Amino acid sequence: MGRLKWLRAAFVLAFLILLGKLWQLSILEYQQYRELAERNRIRTIPEIAPRGLILDKEGRVLVDNARSFHLVLFREEIKDLGETVRFLTRGVRIDRETIETQVRRARHYASYQPVVIKEDLTMEEVSYLLAHQTEHPELRAVQQPRRTYRYLDLAAHTLGYVGEISEQELKDNRFQQHKPGDLIGKSGVERTYNELLAGRDGKRLVLVNSVGRTIEEIGAIQPVSGRELTLTLDLDLQLVAEEELKENPGAVVVINPQNGEVLALASRPAFDPNQFAVRLNEQEWERLISDPDDPLQNRIIQSTFSPGSVFKVVMALAGLEAGVLDPETEINCRGGASLYGNYFRCWKAGGHGRVNLRRAVQESCNVYFYLLGQKLGISRIKDFSQRLGLGLPTGIDLPGEKVGLIPSEEWKQKYTGQRWYAGETISVAIGQGPISVTPMQLARAIGIMATGTAPAPHLVKESKTVRAQRVPLPSPDFSDEHMQIIRDAMWSVVNESGTGRAARVPGFEVCGKTGTSQTISQSARARLSKEQAERFNHNAWFVGFAPRDNPEIVVAVIVQRGGGGGAVAAPIAGKILARYHEKHQNDRRTLQVAANASSAGDPLMQ
Amino acid sequence: MINRRIIGHFDFFLFGTAVVLALLGVLGIFSATIHGGPDNAFLRQIAWLGVGIATCLIMVSVDYHFLADHAYFFYGAAVLILIAILFYGTEINGSKSWLILGGLRVQPSEFVKVIVVLALANFLARLNEDYLKRHHLLILSLITLLPVVLIILQGDLGTALMYFPILLGMLAVAGLKVRLTAVVLLVTLCVAPAGWFFLKEYQRERILATINPDMDPQGIGYQTRQSQIAIGSGGFLGKGLGRASQSQLGFVPEIHTDFIFTLLAEEKGFLGASIVLVLYLLLLMRLVRIAETARDRTGIFIVSGIACLLFFHALVNVGMTVGVFPPIGIPLPLLSYGGSSTIMTFAALGLALNVHCRRFVN
């Protein structure tokens, strides 16, 4: 029958279509399907490497890791996102929006890349997830070490915090070893030494069936923990510094001027970096960034202040080194001086009477330094300041350092288009006017003046693992005699009837200088209400070192809007120095005894 | 009834092709159940294959005219059994289409396919006209619809749907005038969208998912998508026996029954899958040839009906695995695991062999 031919034709045609479709799938689109099949069956479970511990100089743990579980979503496994969300909101403390935000944020990442939905699950949440693993293979509780800052907000700006790598950072070469979702150091030494601390994540490759159950492990790369990082910080001093600053906005820097080791760095108000280890919610973040005192700001290196009267010791050494100052020559302070047609006041209305260098430093006489400023001129002040590293980066191993400003004629011309007025030099001579430095810079400058050496300040000792690129300042080559004069003058500030008596530590020869810098000009201040005036109160400074000979420790304290340096900042420095002395006097005594014993035991010496 | 002349005309090519396909099926079932599934499924399938071949030989031995003459009797019995199942049947996988006889699960609706082919062939053979008339069409449709309705009532829509293409194929062979063809097509086109409303939600979704498998890869298009991944990832030569990760780790469902072609394609690649398809096509071509050389109209209609039956099953099943048909849950005859299907297929082939053997006999 002829009609059967049509049947035959229909059969052949249909089979050709099937063959064609088969060809398309397994030949033309082979690569694509092969990858899909591989991803289907092999699941990569990340094994997060714990970050290295951070220790203080005596090996006390400042930062470690706690066992913690993250909730991770495998997007490829999602059958119904709505159902997944409902399931989660029933048993896990998380809201719909957060889940959706996390999923949305990850939309540009490869679909097999797991998305972290929530950090730090409670044990109840983990068991809820485990109990429903079969129904929800798309969700998994993954163990991830959580960064733990043992002393909460202690040294928060220095230690820094960790957070999820941003899209911006992913493009950065420094973070090329990282992948989306990784936690990296966001600030502080966590960031500077991120590569060292981060370690290398491992992973387990497991063969899973269609319901996500593991059939067998087919490979594993063990995670490599991050390296331990020992800081130069001394927890004891850090504790005192934080405790003494309390909630006053301000900063404390403690360094060893002989080798540049940073012993304590406090910046207040601070934040609790533990909060950043889990995702901050909107309100917490909002609160942190809208706080007028800006707790995220690292005042040690990111805030610049007028040095105020502290700058007078810089001026004094500059005068001596420039040969324009005889330390014994007295000037007469009558409470002010007329210079360049303006009357500049001394802070002591009645005047200091006849003062030489030592008394001028001790009592912080303005007039003495007005006249010195006049002699030196802005150009020499600037050059000398820069020899001390003022207005230059200190190169400390913390991110985001600001440089501040030491003014000059060129600077003014360039930025304001106006000529430098000689009168402005007079303000700069007492650390006011357009001069601003960071507490870190000031501490280093005092250290250089006290020791004559200029090591680069740092938080981590250079070692095989840490290759720091530190650029120390050129050796200042100050005359020993001049340095001795400054040290003696600063000693008298604390130990005679000077402005820094509150920093005195019995048995420890503390030298220092107070400062009270205006945050705005007198005339502007007069226009403010009382409340505003309070807000724009003076910054209190104390910068000092000890002991007088062979100084071992430099302390710089600034309390913002704190009032007088002698009253507010000096006692804080005193407490820190006392704590240092208490810790180290035994060492010194032992050394002394040893020295005596060796000389006593030497028959030739007798 | 049997004599040497008849045996001398036995079509070893058709029989051999069928047995080779069935053995490939056994191999596939073996591989499909390595990682779970029913125990010893391949051994049982070998047993079913034995029963199937025996049935086939029995079907050869009885003159097909006798079977055709009694087609309405078989048909009546089949309808009664289908009705009985509505009351006494057992529900498996959502359809109440099974009878449990002495521990064996039997799906009578499989056998009813052959009986309906026989009944339709019998009716068509008795007409001595070149083209069908309207009332013939009506009667043929009713013969088909009665079991279809019963099977739909059992909840086995996929099996029920397979009756229509068989009817259409046989109508085409019997001859339809253009005007009547148009009517048939028109009715089909009208009934099909109306049928949409009778479908269950999941059935509609399956149809939508076939049109666009990427619509929701984890949801309704899941089976189709996973099957395509399995087949595509097999490549040209396949992943090798027992190494079909997609199929064997459970991403593809029902790999020993409805999706056995997927497993074969993943394991044995394009090459293996096209060998299966070519064998199938050879089998079908041979059936058409047998129909062409049949002695009488009865033989022609029986064999072309059987050819259509096997053809549409293969087309829809393979089409479903590669994603051109929605997964409606019908087996691939000769390859899929299942006693009823295997025995039905061999019985049908037995009928065709029967016609072939008796093409010269008076």
Side-chain angles (χ1 to χ4, degrees):
Chain A
M1 273 175 88
R3 287 170 192 139
L4 288 168
K5 281 198 190 109
W6 291 105
L7 210 56
R8 188 179 269 136
F11 290 179
V12 172
L13 184 69
F15 273 75
L16 283 178
I17 291 172
L18 290 179
L19 269 175
K21 186 71 187 171
L22 205 58
W23 176 268
Q24 183 204 340
L25 293 178
S26 50
I27 307 295
L28 300 180
E29 297 170 356
Y30 166 65
Q31 278 303 336
Q32 171 200 341
Y33 285 115
R34 199 183 64 118
E35 271 167 42
L36 285 171
E38 286 302 287
R39 259 196 269 140
N40 248 346
R41 84 190 175 103
I42 296 172
R43 189 179 285 176
T44 309
I45 297 171
E47 296 267 285
I48 312 296
R51 282 175 82 81
L53 303 185
I54 301 179
L55 315 172
D56 90 332
K57 68 183 308 174
E58 292 171 20
R60 287 170 288 196
V61 177
L62 302 176
V63 185
D64 65 354
N65 306 292
R67 241 171 88 94
S68 156
F69 286 92
H70 281 192
L71 169 56
V72 164
L73 175 68
F74 291 89
R75 284 168 296 162
E76 286 183 320
E77 306 275 332
I78 299 173
K79 294 218 169 55
D80 175 0
L81 185 59
E83 170 50 31
T84 303
V85 171
R86 273 192 296 283
F87 168 75
L88 279 180
T89 47
R90 274 198 300 272
V92 177
R93 270 177 63 97
I94 190 165
D95 55 42
R96 227 183 109 94
E97 289 78 49
T98 315
I99 303 172
E100 282 163 2
T101 309
Q102 287 305 99
V103 173
R104 203 168 39 246
R105 277 186 44 178
R107 68 193 181 284
H108 299 307
Y109 302 152
S111 59
Y112 54 85
Q113 190 81 51
V115 184
V116 177
I117 297 294
K118 186 176 193 280
E119 288 89 351
D120 207 21
L121 298 173
T122 63
M123 273 303 129
E124 287 76 34
E125 290 170 336
V126 172
S127 30
Y128 176 70
L129 289 168
L130 284 178
H132 297 87
Q133 187 68 70
T134 10
E135 303 110 89
H136 290 279
E138 74 277 17
L139 297 167
R140 208 175 256 257
V142 173
Q143 200 178 336
Q144 172 148 15
R146 183 175 49 105
R147 206 58 165 158
T148 307
Y149 299 86
R150 287 216 185 156
Y151 298 88
L152 308 179
D153 63 355
L154 177 117
H157 302 88
T158 306
L159 298 173
Y161 57 89
V162 293
E164 195 177 325
I165 188 164
S166 70
E167 286 185 43
Q168 198 74 39
E169 286 161 331
L170 276 170
K171 293 177 195 136
D172 189 335
N173 260 354
R174 283 178 61 196
F175 300 107
Q176 55 184 352
Q177 56 163 338
H178 290 285
K179 55 188 186 308
D182 278 4
L183 289 182
I184 59 159
K186 289 284 189 179
S187 76
V189 291
E190 289 274 30
R191 187 167 190 96
T192 315
Y193 296 103
N194 182 63
E195 269 167 76
L196 200 90
L197 290 166
R200 234 181 18 253
D201 289 351
K203 54 186 164 188
R204 286 195 300 135
L205 297 177
V206 294
L207 196 61
V208 296
N209 65 9
S210 59
V211 293
R213 183 171 302 137
T214 303
I215 306 286
E216 60 176 316
E217 186 168 310
I218 54 177
I221 299 171
Q222 292 301 322
V224 181
S225 311
R227 301 256 196 158
E228 209 169 80
L229 193 65
T230 301
L231 301 182
T232 57
L233 288 187
D234 182 334
L235 178 60
D236 298 318
L237 300 185
Q238 184 73 36
L239 281 166
V240 178
E242 303 264 356
E243 204 165 289
E244 292 302 318
L245 265 178
K246 301 191 188 77
E247 286 314 307
N248 294 319
V252 171
V253 180
V254 184
I255 59 175
N256 179 337
Q258 296 181 354
N259 57 16
E261 286 183 7
V262 175
L263 302 177
L265 290 177
S267 172
R268 295 243 132 210
F271 55 90
D272 180 358
N274 290 302
Q275 291 190 327
F276 290 82
V278 292
R279 207 173 301 282
L280 279 181
N281 67 34
E282 263 340 75
Q283 296 104 297
E284 288 170 294
W285 179 248
E286 196 55 41
R287 194 178 54 74
L288 274 173
I289 59 169
S290 62
D291 188 328
D293 281 334
D294 198 359
L296 293 175
Q297 173 98 347
N298 184 356
R299 288 170 160 73
I300 298 149
I301 54 167
Q302 292 174 336
S303 300
T304 60
F305 307 93
S306 292
S309 300
V310 172
F311 197 64
K312 287 171 183 166
V313 292
V314 175
M315 288 294 294
L317 188 57
L320 293 169
E321 286 284 309
V324 300
L325 190 63
D326 174 5
E328 295 311 322
T329 306
E330 294 183 341
I331 63 111
N332 192 9
C333 168
R334 282 193 230 93
S338 281
L339 295 158
Y340 308 110
N342 278 320
Y343 187 71
F344 292 89
R345 287 172 200 284
C346 187
W347 62 268
K348 193 170 179 181
H352 289 95
R354 303 198 65 81
V355 290
N356 61 6
L357 174 60
R358 186 182 169 100
R359 265 203 68 202
V361 170
Q362 187 183 333
E363 294 180 22
S364 203
C365 173
N366 287 0
V367 174
Y368 187 92
F369 290 97
Y370 293 149
L371 298 173
L372 177 55
Q374 191 186 18
K375 278 189 204 161
L376 277 171
I378 191 63
S379 172
R380 278 198 282 193
I381 293 174
K382 181 193 173 231
D383 290 347
F384 188 80
S385 298
Q386 291 195 337
R387 280 170 75 188
L388 297 175
L390 296 172
L392 297 173
T394 65
I396 189 171
D397 35 6
L398 288 175
E401 185 176 12
K402 292 240 168 70
V403 290
L405 172 73
I406 304 295
S408 66
E409 291 172 13
E410 302 79 55
W411 167 80
K412 187 162 184 203
Q413 190 64 45
K414 191 170 167 194
Y415 287 96
T416 67
Q418 286 173 323
R419 209 167 53 78
W420 179 263
Y421 296 106
E424 291 174 281
T425 308
I426 306 306
S427 296
V428 171
I430 60 158
Q432 303 287 358
I435 176 171
S436 66
V437 297
T438 64
M440 190 71 224
Q441 285 173 358
L442 206 51
R444 175 170 72 162
I446 296 299
I448 296 169
M449 289 170 61
T451 60
T453 55
H458 56 266
L459 280 154
V460 177
K461 273 198 196 127
E462 194 146 3
S463 67
K464 259 182 262 167
T465 45
V466 182
R467 292 268 176 73
Q469 291 174 323
R470 291 173 187 143
V471 192
L473 285 172
S475 179
D477 287 326
F478 298 138
S479 131
D480 285 340
E481 189 196 339
H482 293 159
M483 290 198 297
Q484 189 63 46
I485 293 167
I486 300 300
R487 284 201 293 266
D488 287 345
M490 287 175 77
W491 180 86
S492 73
V493 169
V494 178
N495 295 286
E496 291 178 353
S497 59
T499 51
R501 287 184 302 272
R504 197 162 166 269
V505 178
F508 199 35
E509 292 200 292
V510 177
C511 311
K513 180 73 190 83
T514 58
T516 307
S517 60
Q518 283 168 224
T519 48
I520 52 171
S521 69
Q522 291 287 1
S523 54
R525 194 176 158 76
R527 291 195 295 270
L528 295 175
S529 69
K530 197 177 171 204
E531 189 194 344
Q532 284 169 310
E534 172 64 30
R535 225 178 120 52
F536 292 102
N537 205 342
H538 294 123
N539 289 337
W541 276 106
F542 179 87
V543 179
F545 56 88
R548 176 158 54 166
D549 302 312
N550 288 321
E552 297 166 10
I553 177 171
V554 168
V555 179
V557 177
I558 181 169
V559 179
Q560 283 176 268
R561 314 194 294 268
V568 179
I572 296 175
K575 290 269 177 32
I576 294 165
L577 289 162
R579 183 77 186 91
Y580 179 87
H581 181 55
E582 185 192 339
K583 269 190 86 166
H584 295 273
Q585 64 180 347
N586 288 336
D587 313 349
R588 257 194 301 279
R589 202 171 292 145
T590 317
L591 276 174
Q592 196 63 46
V593 170
N596 292 345
S598 69
S599 58
D602 188 344
L604 287 177
M605 292 293 284
Q606 287 178 342
Chain B
M1 253 199 239
I2 309 174
N3 59 40
R4 211 177 264 154
R5 239 176 82 200
I6 289 171
I7 292 167
H9 291 298
F10 187 80
D11 188 349
F12 285 100
F13 182 82
L14 181 74
F15 183 75
T17 313
V19 171
V20 169
L21 279 170
L23 289 175
L24 283 173
V26 170
L27 187 65
I29 291 159
F30 172 72
S31 174
T33 51
I34 290 176
H35 298 286
D39 294 331
N40 298 325
F42 79 101
L43 287 179
R44 278 193 268 167
Q45 181 66 11
I46 290 173
W48 290 127
L49 185 54
V51 177
I53 289 170
T55 314
C56 176
L57 296 178
I58 292 167
M59 293 301 277
V60 176
S61 61
V62 187
D63 190 333
Y64 67 91
H65 293 103
F66 172 80
L67 295 170
D69 289 343
H70 294 82
Y72 295 138
F73 170 74
F74 296 132
Y75 182 82
V79 168
L80 286 178
I81 290 174
L82 288 177
I83 292 171
I85 287 174
L86 286 178
F87 296 101
Y88 304 108
T90 306
E91 190 171 315
I92 293 173
N93 290 338
S95 50
K96 193 177 180 181
S97 55
W98 301 79
L99 278 181
I100 296 192
L101 300 174
L104 291 177
R105 302 199 293 201
V106 186
Q107 196 177 12
S109 50
E110 285 292 327
F111 300 102
V112 177
K113 289 171 188 168
V114 186
I115 291 167
V116 169
V117 166
L118 212 56
L120 293 174
N122 185 42
F123 181 84
L124 287 167
R126 280 161 207 269
L127 298 173
N128 226 338
E129 304 188 39
D130 224 15
Y131 289 99
L132 293 175
K133 298 240 161 49
R134 219 176 305 162
H135 65 275
H136 300 144
L137 198 58
L138 196 68
I139 293 166
L140 288 165
S141 301
L142 286 175
I143 292 176
T144 314
L145 269 174
L146 182 56
V148 162
V149 169
L150 290 170
I151 295 168
I152 290 178
L153 287 176
Q154 292 171 1
D156 191 357
L157 187 74
T159 304
L161 284 177
M162 290 315 291
Y163 282 83
F164 292 107
I166 298 169
L167 173 64
L168 285 177
M170 291 181 77
L171 290 180
V173 174
L176 270 183
K177 276 197 171 147
V178 178
R179 215 167 62 90
L180 214 51
T181 312
V183 171
V184 170
L185 288 177
L186 203 69
V187 169
T188 315
L189 283 176
C190 292
V191 171
W196 180 260
F197 298 103
F198 292 103
L199 292 179
K200 291 176 182 151
E201 190 58 32
Y202 78 92
Q203 291 166 331
R204 289 181 202 166
E205 286 177 346
R206 281 180 174 186
I207 292 169
L208 286 176
T210 306
I211 298 164
N212 180 12
D214 292 317
M215 181 162 74
D216 179 9
Q218 293 295 342
I220 54 181
Y222 180 77
Q223 291 183 349
T224 304
R225 188 75 191 139
Q226 293 300 335
S227 175
Q228 286 180 324
I229 293 174
I231 293 170
S233 63
F236 185 71
L237 288 175
K239 297 178 182 173
L241 192 70
R243 304 168 93 175
S245 65
Q246 268 295 105
S247 304
Q248 286 166 337
L249 294 176
F251 295 100
V252 181
E254 301 290 330
I255 43 166
H256 63 297
T257 57
D258 295 353
F259 281 89
I260 196 160
F261 186 78
T262 303
L263 172 82
L264 289 169
E266 191 183 4
E267 279 191 344
K268 298 171 183 73
F270 176 78
L271 193 65
S274 34
I275 286 172
V276 169
L277 285 184
V278 167
L279 282 173
Y280 235 107
L281 188 58
L282 286 176
L283 185 110
L284 292 171
M285 289 294 118
R286 194 68 182 184
L287 286 174
V288 178
R289 178 94 202 112
I290 291 172
E292 279 172 343
T293 55
R295 193 169 54 131
D296 50 22
R297 283 175 66 91
T298 311
I300 291 170
F301 286 118
I302 288 177
V303 179
S304 50
I306 287 165
C308 286
L309 169 73
L310 295 180
F311 168 69
F312 283 112
H313 273 76
L315 175 68
V316 172
N317 181 283
V318 176
M320 147 185 116
T321 63
V322 296
V324 296
F325 282 112
I328 59 168
I330 58 151
L332 181 57
L334 294 173
L335 285 123
S336 287
Y337 172 79
S340 302
S341 169
T342 306
I343 295 169
M344 178 279 285
T345 309
F346 274 102
L349 289 171
L351 265 179
L353 289 167
N354 191 335
V355 173
H356 186 69
C357 291
R358 290 181 173 79
R359 67 191 186 276
F360 302 122
V361 181
N362 293 329

